[in-house]
Amino acid sequence: MEAAQLPRQRVEQLLDAAVRYTEERHWDVCPGTWLEPSGDGRRCSCGEERCAAPGAHPTGVGWAAGATGSGAAARRMWTRLPGSSVLLPTGRAFDAVDVPESAGFLALARMERMSLPLGPVTRTPDRRMQFFVLPGAAAKTEDLVRRAGWNAVSIGLRGVGEGAYVIAPPTRIGGAGAVQWARCPTNANRWLPEVEELIGPLAYACGRVAADARGGLS
């Protein structure tokens, strides 16, 4: 793909972000698919007409092996394919707890009032939020939610761990918009919390939002 197919500023943002994640946070990064011109709009480089995440998913089954924690390697990757989405493999430096956006903001406000330790948090155009926690969280998330008195599936909460990924800012997902930071990575949140520290407020917020949604339909 030619860099000229995307605005120069956009290309530089993706490259700079990928390099910064490796050098400042020591996170692995992986280039994903990208958006290509198609008629009056853009389509995903995967070629699927009904792609669920246009320009923002892995390029193939072996994608994880192509991830790097080297800033120099990341710079080469995004220089070669400058419009590639920035994917962060989970199960390495961090896992994530994925929740509906409305519940995420509710929980975030509560956890800040409680002075709980918080890591970075992303928000996606499809109105989901991902709370970064220490690795190993995904394997025990459902059990922790069940112990708190909820069913993870029914309240829309899930762990994202080994073999999966989160889409990193400033990646755009089709025409829906860009992934953003709800809480940016900073020196203050370099040390991530254990999932046990956050699961209570997150499960409560998800349960409350799910109950409100059911009540609105009745």
Side-chain angles (χ1 to χ4, degrees):
M1 185 188 69
E2 297 291 337
Q5 292 179 334
L6 288 170
R8 181 175 178 82
Q9 181 181 12
R10 177 76 189 142
V11 168
E12 291 174 343
Q13 287 176 341
L14 290 164
L15 186 154
D16 289 346
V19 173
R20 188 169 65 252
Y21 295 145
T22 61
E23 294 183 344
E24 295 182 5
R25 300 298 293 203
H26 304 293
W27 291 341
D28 285 359
V29 296
C30 181
T33 55
W34 55 88
L35 294 172
E36 297 179 331
S38 177
D40 295 332
R42 294 184 180 276
R43 67 172 184 179
C44 185
S45 62
C46 73
E48 290 290 335
E49 186 176 345
R50 297 183 180 273
C51 180
H57 63 83
T59 56
V61 293
W63 67 272
T68 182
S70 161
R75 186 174 297 278
R76 288 193 298 271
M77 288 176 175
W78 269 269
T79 298
R80 186 169 65 250
L81 292 171
S84 297
S85 52
V86 183
L87 308 180
L88 304 176
T90 45
R92 301 183 182 188
F94 62 88
D95 279 7
V97 181
D98 179 276
V99 301
E101 183 184 79
S102 52
F105 278 120
L106 181 65
L108 196 56
R110 187 181 184 198
M111 289 188 286
E112 288 174 342
R113 288 196 302 270
M114 296 169 66
S115 298
L116 291 179
L118 288 166
V121 182
T122 59
R123 57 183 297 208
T124 60
D126 61 349
R127 306 192 67 178
R128 303 287 300 183
M129 293 175 71
Q130 294 80 36
F131 287 72
F132 288 30
V133 292
L134 286 173
K140 50 189 175 182
T141 294
E142 285 194 19
D143 184 57
L144 289 171
V145 172
R146 185 167 54 252
R147 292 182 189 180
W150 308 91
N151 178 281
V153 174
S154 66
I155 62 175
L157 183 154
R158 70 183 185 97
V160 186
E162 187 174 357
Y165 61 92
V166 296
I167 305 168
T171 299
R172 296 189 69 83
I173 303 178
V179 180
Q180 301 175 27
W181 290 110
R183 281 182 61 91
C184 294
T186 66
N187 285 332
N189 61 27
R190 183 171 296 276
W191 304 106
L192 299 177
E194 295 276 3
V195 66
E196 288 87 348
E197 298 176 274
L198 307 187
I199 204 67
L202 285 171
Y204 171 80
C206 288
R208 178 174 166 182
V209 167
D212 287 347
R214 289 193 296 269
L217 293 174
S218 60

